[in-house]
Every structure is written in structure tokens, then in C-alpha cells.
Amino acid sequence: TRKKHSKILTESGHLRGSIRSQLLGSRAVAVGTNRAYAAIHQLGGPAGRGRKVTIPARPYLGVSAADRVRILAVLKWFLARRI
């Protein structure tokens, strides 16, 4: 059962705590988790025994507008040092 004032996906913090990143060469990075229930929370879809319950997507991975601004600033800084 959920705690009285907890929010969905934040009660225990296990999913958030399992997120890892890995460099894939010099031009890419992978971000994800090995939790079996992670995909259903990210993408949503039928779940449970007999797939009789539909869970809405509650994406927890991705790049927000604020992230994009920060990433662009880091890239500009990096490129300015190389020129």
C-alpha cells in the first residue's frame, strides 16, 4: 500500500536510485535502469495479470526544456574553448 502522502513513483525511490549512465564511445551516452518495471512506467501500457490494467505513461527519463538550455550552454562553452 502507498504511504498516505507519497506521490506515485516516489514512495521508495528505488527506480530513481537505479538510474545509471554509460558512455558509448566518444559521442554518445546511454541512460537507463535494470528495474523490471521501469519500461511500463516510462511508456505506459497494459499491465498486471492478464494485462487487464492500463498504466498511463509517467516518463522519468528524458531531456526537459531546462535540461536543453543547460546542455546547449555546456556545448557552447566546450566549443568556445576549442576555437
Side-chain angles (χ1 to χ4, degrees):
T1 65
R2 280 189 349 150
K3 295 177 185 173
K4 188 174 183 178
H5 297 290
S6 69
K7 294 181 179 180
I8 292 175
L9 300 182
T10 60
E11 184 173 320
S12 69
H14 291 283
L15 182 58
R16 179 182 17 207
S18 71
I19 298 170
R20 301 286 183 263
S21 62
Q22 179 179 355
L23 289 175
L24 304 174
S26 63
R27 295 180 179 218
V29 63
V31 178
T33 176
N34 63 354
R35 295 287 176 169
Y37 56 88
I40 195 68
H41 288 294
Q42 179 74 17
L43 305 171
R49 294 182 189 209
R51 305 258 188 227
K52 294 179 181 177
V53 176
T54 299
I55 295 180
R58 295 184 182 102
Y60 59 93
L61 294 174
V63 179
S64 69
D67 293 334
R68 286 184 180 94
V69 169
R70 180 71 178 127
I71 290 167
L72 185 57
V74 169
L75 287 172
K76 286 180 180 178
W77 172 84
F78 178 80
L79 292 173
R81 293 185 64 209
R82 300 286 185 227
I83 296 176

